């Protein structure tokens, strides 16, 4: 047998593959729809684009807390701006700066420091890099108080108390009428009664009341009565005040009364609210040229015990040379006015003449 005859028949020649047709490029509108579809799917799946060159989707870094709205992402490269309100001013009362809002500026720790304000550095103590000028938080702080040139208050006086006056200047069968806590609505009525009997009295005035009623203070001075310092706000117990507080209450009231009375106004006495005298406030008053004025008769008319009670207390407690304590301010003084209408003729009938307190 021929050798070639044993060969296997050759495979038939396959026809050449036809080239695949080239797909035309997607138009821009199709690409936009594709991207929009991807974004919609990502929103459903809780994914967000990472913004990388590949455009791959990655999980968001902050998961929403169950039952609350999903937090918004802070744009990269910007900082939250916090504007703190100006501190309130304190007279009587001052408050510190308001607490910072939850969106604290970058570089400020959210943990309050010992003073209640956030610390300007992190836990490591290294200050954070400053924020860009456009995103720097603005904080309104009070301006530094200018120097007033007012001399420092006198030092506290630990020595013995000075004499508190409780008698008239002349002694004998004399009496001194004093009225506290004014000027007030009853001051004019009391001045009218005193004028009828040609009586000169002493008015121990609250500084803020004098400042609010300068016309009444001027009338007191014009009609020949005398003035007494009874503090700015009538705080009690007065003897428990700090030295600096006592200096203010006595000194500022003195200035208010003098200003309300006008040029040449003299304030001869100081009466501590509630009789709260001590060595310190007595020496503060003495430094301003004022004697400390007490009393010897107290009908407690401020408590409004009734007109008969006021009259009888004065009649029982009064001795020659006594100083009577009554009130023309601090509340309803209609009982005081009514009692004075009875006491003035009674005092005259008892042979008393009217005097000023000793000084």
């Amino acid at each position: 047998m021929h050798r070639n005859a044993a060969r296997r028949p050759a495979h038939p020649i396959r026809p050449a593959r036809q080239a695949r047709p080239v797909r035309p490029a997607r138009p821009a509108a199709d690409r936009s729809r594709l991207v929009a579809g991807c974004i919609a799917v990502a929103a459903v799946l809780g994914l967000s684009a990472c913004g990388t060159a590949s455009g791959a989707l990655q999980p968001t870094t902050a998961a929403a807390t169950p039952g609350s709205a999903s937090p918004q992402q802070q744009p990269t490269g910007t900082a939250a701006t916090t504007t703190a309100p100006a501190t309130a001013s304190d007279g009587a009362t001052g408050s510190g700066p308001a607490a910072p809002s939850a969106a604290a500026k970058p570089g400020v720790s959210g943990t309050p420091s010992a003073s209640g304000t956030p610390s300007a550095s992190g836990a490591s103590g290294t200050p954070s890099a400053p924020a860009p000028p456009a995103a720097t938080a603005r904080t309104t702080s009070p301006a530094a108080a200018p120097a007033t040139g007012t001399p420092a208050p006198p030092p506290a006086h630990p020595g013995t108390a000075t004499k508190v006056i409780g008698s008239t200047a002349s002694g004998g069968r004399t009496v001194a009428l004093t009225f506290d806590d004014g000027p007030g609505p009853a001051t004019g009525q009391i001045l009218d009664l005193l004028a009828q009997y040609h009586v000169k009295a002493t008015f121990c005035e609250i500084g803020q009341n004098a400042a609010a009623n300068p016309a009444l203070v001027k009338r007191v001075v014009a009609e020949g009565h005398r003035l007494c310092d009874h503090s700015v706000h009538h705080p009690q117990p007065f003897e428990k005040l700090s030295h600096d507080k006592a200096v203010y209450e006595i000194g500022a009231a003195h200035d208010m009364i003098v200003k309300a009375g006008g040029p040449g106004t003299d304030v001869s006495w100081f009466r501590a609210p509630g009789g709260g005298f001590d060595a310190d406030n007595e020496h503060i008053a003495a430094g301003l040229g004022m004697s400390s004025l007490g009393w010897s008769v107290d009908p407690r008319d401020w408590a409004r015990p009734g007109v008969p009670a006021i009259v009888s207390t004065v009649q029982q407690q009064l001795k020659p040379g006594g100083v009577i304590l009554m009130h023309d301010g601090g509340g309803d003084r209609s009982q005081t006015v009514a009692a004075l209408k009875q006491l003035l003729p009674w005092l005259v009938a008892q042979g008393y003449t009217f005097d000023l307190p000793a000084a």
Side-chain angles (χ1 to χ4, degrees), residues 259-335:
K259 183 178 180 180
T265 298
D266 178 60
V267 183
S268 303
W269 296 275
F270 162 68
R271 174 174 278 169
F277 291 102
D278 66 5
D280 189 40
N281 59 51
E282 291 170 31
H283 282 278
I284 292 170
L288 295 171
M290 298 183 293
S291 301
S292 295
L293 177 59
W295 58 83
S296 61
V297 179
D298 181 11
R300 295 176 62 83
D301 63 317
W302 59 270
R304 291 181 291 176
V307 175
I310 296 173
V311 172
S312 63
T313 300
V314 172
Q315 293 174 343
Q316 293 170 14
Q317 293 184 2
L318 181 62
K319 299 293 186 295
V323 176
I324 300 175
L325 167 63
M326 301 180 82
H327 295 76
D328 66 320
D332 179 5
R333 297 294 168 246
S334 57
Q335 291 185 10

Side-chain angles (χ1 to χ4, degrees), residues 185-197:
T187 304
Q189 300 175 61
I190 290 174
L191 288 172
D192 292 342
L193 286 172
L194 297 178
Q196 291 180 22
Y197 290 86

Side-chain angles (χ1 to χ4, degrees), residues 62-71:
T65 302
S68 63
S70 299

Side-chain angles (χ1 to χ4, degrees), residues 41-48 58-60:
V41 173
V44 173
L45 297 178
L47 304 177
S48 64
Q58 295 182 355
T60 54

Side-chain angles (χ1 to χ4, degrees), residues 5-115:
R7 292 181 179 177
R8 294 178 181 178
H11 292 287
I13 299 174
R14 296 179 180 177
R17 294 182 180 179
Q18 295 182 356
R20 294 181 180 179
V22 179
R23 295 181 181 178
R26 292 178 181 270
D30 292 344
R31 289 199 301 272
S32 299
R33 285 194 293 271
L34 177 60
V35 172
C38 291
I39 293 175
V41 173
V44 173
L45 297 178
L47 304 177
S48 64
C50 67
T52 60
S54 65
L57 300 178
Q58 295 182 355
T60 54
T61 56
T65 302
S68 63
S70 299
Q72 295 183 354
Q73 296 292 323
Q74 180 73 18
T76 304
T78 63
T81 301
T82 302
T83 303
T87 56
S89 153
D90 164 344
T93 84
S95 61
S101 66
K105 70 177 181 178
V108 177
S109 169
T111 303
S113 62
S115 63

Side-chain angles (χ1 to χ4, degrees), residues 27 65 77 88 100 121 137 141 151 154 159 165 195 217 223 227 232 237 247 311 344:
T65 302
S121 62
S141 58
I165 297 168
V217 180
E223 295 184 5
L227 293 170
V232 177
V247 167
V311 172
L344 287 173

